[in-house]
């Protein structure tokens, strides 16, 4: 429940969040290509905000390894080399599998299972509307919800930091292969079923197959 002292306008995205969301979306969708130079002033003018929140957003984007900052010059959009793609996916499998194993063979709580179903439904809508960014964001949210079910704050923080780059990989995969969304959705339905059953071994095997079929490279 909202605190009575918290005004509705306080729930609006902050200027930092707006800058982070705008720049990260442009990078994830490929609107801004790797190697492009961004400046705080240009982004601030485009969004109608001051440079200070843009500077903070740039720092966060560097932490997520979407940008590389160069003092007094600006920020360069980072690329994701093949080795990093492989490393990202290996870490994703490790963290997500550990979350399922942390359940100790118990089925997912009903609330988590409903959340996974809702996220699959969001992806269905995004696929139908051709909104690849929304599809990719819901894709990450699906796997992030599984991670949170493991109730390990350190793992959750690590996975959250990987989020923008994983969304970028998903967007790149679905952008270049029109059959990818349907395939990824089928995999998510299978993963949700295995998670409900608490079958950690089968979940990890299905997750590995899901990643291999994703064509993220």
């Amino acid at each position: 429940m909202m605190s009575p002292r918290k005004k509705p306008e306080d729930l609006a995205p902050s200027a930092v969040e707006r800058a982070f969301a705008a720049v990260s979306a442009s990078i994830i969708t490929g609107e801004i290509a790797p190697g492009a130079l961004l400046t705080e002033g240009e982004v601030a003018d485009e969004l109608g905000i001051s440079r200070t929140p843009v500077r903070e957003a740039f720092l966060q984007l560097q932490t997520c390894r979407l940008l590389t900052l160069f003092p007094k010059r600006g920020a360069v959009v980072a690329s994701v080399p093949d080795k990093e793609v492989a490393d990202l996916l290996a870490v994703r499998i490790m963290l997500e599998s550990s979350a399922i194993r942390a359940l100790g063979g118990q089925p997912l709580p009903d609330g988590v299972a409903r959340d996974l179903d809702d996220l699959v439904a969001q992806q269905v809508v995004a696929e139908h509307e051709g909104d690849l960014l929304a599809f990719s964001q819901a894709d990450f949210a699906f796997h992030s919800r599984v991670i949170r079910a493991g109730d390990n704050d350190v793992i959750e923080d690590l996975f959250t930091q990987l989020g923008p780059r994983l969304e970028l990989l998903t967007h790149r995969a679905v952008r270049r292969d029109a059959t990818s969304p349907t395939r990824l959705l089928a995999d998510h339905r299978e993963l949700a079923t295995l998670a409900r059953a608490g079958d950690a071994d089968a979940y990890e095997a299905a997750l590995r197959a899901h990643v291999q079929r994703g064509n993220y490279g």
Side-chain angles (χ1 to χ4, degrees), residues 63-119:
T63 299
C64 294
R65 298 178 66 175
L66 288 185
L67 292 179
T68 301
L69 301 186
F70 294 92
K72 299 182 180 180
R73 291 180 54 195
V76 172
V77 177
S79 61
V80 186
D82 290 345
K83 173 65 164 58
E84 186 172 332
V85 171
D87 291 345
L88 278 168
L89 296 175
V91 170
R92 170 180 158 182
I93 291 170
M94 179 178 65
L95 296 180
E96 194 169 339
S97 298
S98 71
I100 291 295
R101 293 190 184 283
L103 297 173
Q106 297 300 309
L108 281 181
D110 289 342
V112 179
R114 285 194 296 271
D115 287 346
L116 294 182
D117 288 342
D118 288 344
L119 288 163

Side-chain angles (χ1 to χ4, degrees), residues 69-187:
L69 301 186
F70 294 92
K72 299 182 180 180
R73 291 180 54 195
V76 172
V77 177
S79 61
V80 186
D82 290 345
K83 173 65 164 58
E84 186 172 332
V85 171
D87 291 345
L88 278 168
L89 296 175
V91 170
R92 170 180 158 182
I93 291 170
M94 179 178 65
L95 296 180
E96 194 169 339
S97 298
S98 71
I100 291 295
R101 293 190 184 283
L103 297 173
Q106 297 300 309
L108 281 181
D110 289 342
V112 179
R114 285 194 296 271
D115 287 346
L116 294 182
D117 288 342
D118 288 344
L119 288 163
V120 170
Q122 288 178 32
Q123 285 192 283
V124 170
V125 172
E127 179 189 21
H128 178 72
E129 295 179 348
D131 189 342
L132 300 186
L133 177 60
F135 185 93
S136 302
Q137 290 172 333
D139 184 283
F140 174 74
F142 177 95
H143 294 284
S144 182
R145 189 66 187 92
V146 174
I147 291 285
R148 293 204 312 277
D151 197 27
N152 185 312
D153 291 342
V154 174
I155 288 179
E156 184 179 343
D157 286 346
L158 288 172
F159 197 70
T160 298
Q161 191 175 48
L162 299 178
R165 280 182 291 165
L166 290 173
E167 289 176 10
L168 186 154
L169 296 185
T170 299
H171 193 281
R172 189 166 67 181
V174 298
R175 187 171 68 231
R176 66 189 176 193
D177 181 355
T179 67
S180 283
T182 300
R183 186 167 61 249
L184 294 177
L185 276 168
D187 287 350

Side-chain angles (χ1 to χ4, degrees), residues 29-46:
T29 60
E31 180 183 345
I32 304 176
L37 177 66
L38 304 178
T39 67
E40 294 171 5
E42 290 171 343
V43 174
D45 289 345
E46 183 175 342

